[in-house]
Amino acid sequence: MTIADAEPTAAPVPSQSTYQSRVADYWNAEENPVNLELGKIDDLYHHHYGIGEADWSVLDPTDAADVTDPTDPSSPADRQERITTELHRLEQAQADLLASHLGPLAPADRVFDAGCGRGGGSVVAHLRYGCHADGVTISRKQADFAAEQARKRHIDDKVRYHHLNMLDTGLASGAYAASWNNESTMYVELDLLFAEHARLLRRGGRYVTITGCYNDTYGRASREVSLINAHYICDIHPRSEYFRAMARHRLVPTHVEDLTAAATPYWQLRKQADHLVTGIEETFLTAYGNGSFQYLLIVADRV
């Protein structure tokens, strides 16, 4: 398959519902430091959180053990820089984990990044496998930003970004060896999303998602989940619906991993980052702690 074969046949402006237009407007206007400042470290801009144990010494090198009330070092600017760098390391660890489940891939293979944001995930996949990548976002601003980053890296011949709706891309059916969503499934209906992934993936292709979902065994969505929905104008799905919707669209889970505990240190550290906090940090920690909200990795094969 040539590059031209995978070009979208849909109109250049994605079709949108009223809600999706609101989402596009949100991301076209978004200039959140927690996304931009972290990406400036190495020009890998992610729109997701992080996993893994944090290096608490970034709070105060003289007292790394006390993470609840750290003593500020002599230079607040240095402290901010250390925290920003550590948060980016944790979000990069998440991107690497997702990418590790996409393979094995060859340089001739194509991968699809659904809801690509400012494009970091597509770059990570390309650097890991040498593959072609198509990222799709409903935000024109994000698509243009990501495309410029690819040009700066001189990889725009293999990593491309499109201003399209990930539910109806117009990209070629069966053209992709792997596809993924990294914290973008809560903006769409899962049946529509998985139908598009199943269409795009070749038989035996791999789908991966990392996502927050509410815990069905807890009951209905908790107060904390409702607050997260309001903060990000999204609609978090129940855990069980992921598996039901995948089954309806020929996506068979092969690996499921609860990342909730692994994600908690990111939020504990971000809560200490005065220059990056958005006010939602404590809500995430409470939801993780009471069991109403979970962070999952799901890997599925297209049959």
Side-chain angles (χ1 to χ4, degrees), residues 10-51:
V13 177
S15 59
Q16 299 174 15
S17 66
T18 301
Y19 167 69
Q20 289 169 337
S21 295
R22 286 183 59 213
V23 173
D25 290 344
Y26 174 89
W27 289 112
N28 282 329
E30 184 268 340
E31 293 286 342
N32 198 318
V34 79
N35 293 320
L36 294 173
E37 294 304 314
L38 274 61
K40 288 177 182 177
I41 292 171
D42 56 6
D43 287 331
L44 280 173
Y45 290 84
H46 300 296
H47 280 273
H48 54 74
Y49 313 127
I51 59 170

Side-chain angles (χ1 to χ4, degrees), residues 28 116-119 135 137 139-152 161-163:
N28 282 329
C116 64
R118 287 186 171 93
T137 172
S139 163
R140 165 60 72 185
K141 182 178 179 181
Q142 288 184 339
D144 291 344
F145 183 97
E148 179 60 24
Q149 293 302 308
R151 283 191 290 271
K152 287 180 179 179
Y161 298 95
H162 313 274
H163 178 218

Side-chain angles (χ1 to χ4, degrees), residues 65-132:
D66 185 1
V67 299
T68 59
D69 185 22
T71 302
D72 285 342
S74 57
S75 173
D78 288 346
R79 182 178 188 269
Q80 289 185 3
E81 182 178 354
R82 290 194 304 271
I83 293 174
T84 302
T85 300
E86 180 62 3
L87 287 171
H88 185 58
R89 185 186 70 81
L90 296 174
E91 69 173 358
Q92 182 62 34
Q94 179 181 318
D96 288 335
L97 175 67
L98 189 152
S100 73
H101 286 281
L102 297 173
L105 295 170
D109 286 329
R110 306 196 71 86
V111 298
F112 172 61
D113 183 357
C116 64
R118 287 186 171 93
S122 296
V123 176
V124 169
H126 167 71
L127 294 179
R128 187 181 188 96
Y129 299 106
C131 57
H132 295 265

